[in-house]
Amino acid sequence: MALAYDLGSKKPNPTTLISSPPPHQLIFTQDELKKIAAYKAVEFVESGMVIGLGTGSTAKHAIDRIGELLHQGKLSNIIGIPTSKQTQHQAFCLGIPVSDIETHPVVDLAIDGADEVDPDMNLVKGRGGSLLREKMIESCCKKFVVIVDESKLVEYVGGSGLAMPVEIVPFCWKFTAKKLESLFGCVAKLRVVMNKLDDPYVTDNGNYIIDLYFKKDVGDLRVAGDAMLRVAGVVEHGMFIDMATTLIVAGEFGVTLRNKY
């Protein structure tokens, strides 16, 4: 069962549970829901825009769609600002011109997914490993459209029980991990390469990622985020606080859009 949200409110609706779709309704896979949300987000893209291109399985659908519209001539003069090497490669293959925020310090629109979204549209991002570049680019944009399927909605940041990523420098990483553990009373694990458990995962910036697993709500997110950043060795955390301006959620009952401002 998934908790249903009233996206016109800042609070989840705790009384409504989605157990099954009504008769004769199509059942979508999670990837299909991601694609639906991504295509809706691309409706915000206009010719001549500088676009922040997100990273991850949901953002990939949006980038594919932008490339398709460019090829069809329905969009033109688009400049993409990729948030990872993976995304840069995808954009190159699709013929989307790319640049960076040094050349284009103001981004018209950014589209990206999220690992968690709380009722105030605060996000957890970085389980795909690109949180630093994502935050740098998405903090420069005039409009930040977040696209998710309904499984990403949580009651509070960290509420999924899954990883809260923190990018750290490799030097004395165990020291940094222990500091983070003691700070929040959580479990801190070094992210490793899949199927190579002795090899640390290395970000595009040459850093490591420590995944924090919280046992309870961390409370004030800005206070928690500032505390993380004060730990020597921490580069950036995966909480994107008060950054999203539009949230698009695809679920079994359709697409819901919420504007924060």
Side-chain angles (χ1 to χ4, degrees):
M1 290 187 176
L3 188 65
Y5 270 60
D6 174 6
L7 292 177
S9 159
K10 288 189 176 182
K11 299 293 183 183
N13 179 354
T15 63
T16 305
L17 291 174
I18 301 169
S19 56
S20 61
H24 310 301
Q25 179 166 339
L26 292 175
I27 298 176
F28 295 101
T29 66
Q30 187 179 35
D31 190 62
E32 287 170 337
L33 291 175
K34 291 177 180 180
K35 188 173 184 179
I36 290 168
Y39 275 44
K40 183 66 177 177
V42 175
E43 292 179 10
F44 288 94
V45 178
E46 299 176 2
S47 295
M49 278 187 166
V50 177
I51 307 293
L53 304 176
T55 297
S57 57
T58 309
K60 180 180 182 300
H61 289 305
I63 299 166
D64 283 341
R65 180 60 173 165
I66 292 170
E68 179 183 3
L69 294 175
L70 280 171
H71 181 71
Q72 293 173 353
K74 296 178 180 179
L75 286 175
S76 61
N77 300 319
I78 294 293
I79 296 174
I81 311 294
T83 56
S84 66
K85 293 179 180 178
Q86 174 187 345
T87 295
Q88 183 169 350
H89 177 72
Q90 182 190 1
F92 175 79
C93 292
L94 292 170
I96 301 173
V98 297
S99 187
D100 54 47
I101 53 174
E102 290 183 329
T103 307
H104 296 87
V106 178
V107 179
D108 295 301
L109 171 71
I111 300 175
D112 206 353
D115 300 307
E116 291 183 7
V117 183
D118 79 0
D120 293 313
M121 290 170 56
N122 296 310
L123 317 173
V124 173
K125 290 177 54 56
R127 291 179 191 156
S130 302
L131 64 100
L132 176 58
R133 296 191 185 192
E134 287 173 340
K135 188 171 284 189
M136 290 177 69
I137 291 166
E138 288 154 7
S139 65
C140 295
C141 62
K142 297 177 182 177
K143 188 177 186 69
F144 178 21
V145 180
V146 177
I147 46 179
V148 296
D149 65 89
E150 61 189 0
S151 71
K152 302 301 191 295
L153 303 178
V154 295
E155 292 188 21
Y156 59 89
V157 164
S160 69
L162 301 176
M164 166 68 70
V166 181
E167 187 161 342
I168 68 168
V169 297
F171 177 72
C172 292
W173 69 264
K174 291 181 182 179
F175 172 85
T176 307
K178 288 179 181 178
K179 285 286 188 180
L180 290 168
E181 273 189 333
S182 63
L183 188 63
F184 294 103
C186 62
V187 175
K189 295 183 179 180
L190 177 69
R191 188 176 298 183
V192 294
V193 178
M194 190 177 297
N195 301 322
K196 295 182 180 180
L197 300 185
D198 293 329
D199 294 345
Y201 174 88
V202 178
T203 71
D204 287 348
N205 316 299
N207 295 320
Y208 289 173
I209 288 183
I210 295 293
D211 288 320
L212 304 182
Y213 297 87
F214 295 118
K215 300 174 183 178
K216 59 183 180 180
D217 189 341
V218 297
D220 188 306
L221 299 181
R222 293 191 182 278
V223 171
D226 289 345
M228 290 182 197
L229 293 174
R230 285 197 298 270
V231 174
V234 169
V235 178
E236 188 54 84
H237 59 74
M239 293 189 292
F240 285 49
I241 304 167
D242 199 29
M243 289 179 59
T245 58
T246 299
L247 174 64
I248 298 174
V249 182
E252 294 292 346
F253 299 103
V255 174
T256 308
L257 185 148
R258 175 181 165 193
N259 290 306
K260 190 161 188 177
Y261 303 113

